[in-house]
Amino acid sequence: HHAGSPVDVSADGARAAPVKAVGRAEVTVDVVEVATGARVGRARVPVGPGAGAPLFALSPDGRGLAVYDASRGRVHVFDVPAGAKKAP
């Protein structure tokens, strides 16, 4: 997503990924269908102290989500809509 933006949109505009919540130990990013607003996926990523807002991006087809935890130098990759974390 663009630096400072709390939302990323798939290349076809069908899905969006807004940051739902930034907690002290976890960041939550939802994936929603733009046309209906229905949530089709959710990624919860554990983060280190002082992580702040994450860097994240939807894949061009909206079926993958990557979330970067800068505090630990880790990228977490999820399948959408299942929200199941892919093996490293």
Side-chain angles (χ1 to χ4, degrees):
H1 81 291
H2 300 287
S5 174
V7 178
D8 192 27
V9 179
S10 62
D12 64 3
R15 290 185 172 181
V19 172
K20 178 74 173 172
V22 178
R24 294 193 322 176
E26 182 178 85
V27 169
T28 302
V29 179
D30 282 347
V31 178
V32 298
E33 293 288 344
V34 172
T36 65
R39 186 177 78 206
V40 295
R42 172 171 278 178
R44 289 188 172 105
V45 177
V47 294
L55 295 175
F56 62 98
L58 274 171
S59 63
D61 65 1
R63 295 186 180 272
L65 176 69
V67 182
Y68 177 63
D69 172 9
S71 67
R72 296 182 178 160
R74 294 182 185 156
V75 176
H76 303 268
V77 179
F78 298 84
D79 285 322
V80 177
K85 190 172 177 181
K86 289 186 176 181

